[in-house]
Amino acid sequence: MQAWPVQHPASFVIVTLAVFWIVVSLFVSYGGGWHVLARRFRFNSEFTGKVFRWQSAHMRSVARYHNCVSIGANLEGLYVAPFFPFRIAHPPLFIPWSEVSYTRKKIFFSQMFCFELGREHAIPFWVGKNLGEQLQQAAGIAWPAESLG
């Protein structure tokens, strides 16, 4: 009697890829800090504010989100949500401005905004200068003061 993977090679490949996708998503969520933020800032409502789709960001040194997140801002806070296939272990987040600080930094030749999300854990969340400035405009007077450092 032949083993299941030999009898059903297409199903075996699909199951293997699905398990791989789940494991990688969990690793990125835990390693990048998304999981920690989701415990406090999971967002289950419809976001009302300016949203910028197909954006890139990174968290800590292991989580890189290339053109796969929507990032938004309004007077109340910062919204971050990955697109559907990337939602495993990455629920949408909404972080109030009282839980956000930021600095502008130059990394190699790029100007970046480095947000620290959540006062308790201060998870770094990096976006490009142009997006950071657009978020600042969308937040208006609620935008937090820039941190020193």
Side-chain angles (χ1 to χ4, degrees):
M1 192 158 123
Q2 292 183 336
W4 181 81
V6 174
Q7 290 178 335
H8 307 283
S11 297
F12 177 73
V13 168
I14 291 169
V15 169
T16 301
L17 289 174
V19 169
F20 178 76
W21 187 263
I22 292 167
V23 169
V24 168
S25 293
L26 287 167
F27 174 78
V28 171
S29 177
Y30 279 80
W34 198 292
H35 174 75
V36 170
L37 293 171
R39 286 188 293 199
R40 288 189 60 209
F41 304 113
R42 179 184 297 258
F43 190 65
N44 295 319
S45 300
E46 189 71 30
F47 177 73
T48 56
K50 183 72 174 168
V51 176
F52 304 93
R53 301 190 191 293
W54 304 104
Q55 298 301 311
S56 296
H58 66 268
M59 298 172 75
R60 293 184 177 157
S61 60
V62 297
R64 304 268 193 254
Y65 304 97
H66 296 286
N67 302 315
C68 67
V69 290
S70 292
I71 303 173
N74 62 21
L75 289 173
E76 287 82 39
L78 182 70
Y79 170 76
V80 184
F83 298 128
F84 172 72
F86 305 99
R87 289 265 171 106
I88 296 171
H90 291 82
L93 304 173
F94 183 77
I95 300 102
W97 291 123
S98 62
E99 296 278 343
V100 176
S101 62
Y102 82 99
T103 57
R104 295 174 196 242
K105 295 187 178 185
K106 188 171 188 174
I107 306 296
F108 297 109
F109 301 106
S110 299
Q111 292 288 334
M112 304 287 287
F113 275 59
C114 178
F115 294 97
E116 288 192 349
L117 306 179
R119 297 274 180 223
E120 195 174 311
H121 297 284
I123 306 294
F125 183 78
W126 296 79
V127 300
K129 177 184 178 243
N130 291 340
L131 177 59
E133 289 173 348
Q134 290 174 314
L135 292 169
Q136 185 174 12
Q137 279 188 326
I141 61 170
W143 185 254
E146 187 169 357
S147 300
L148 301 175

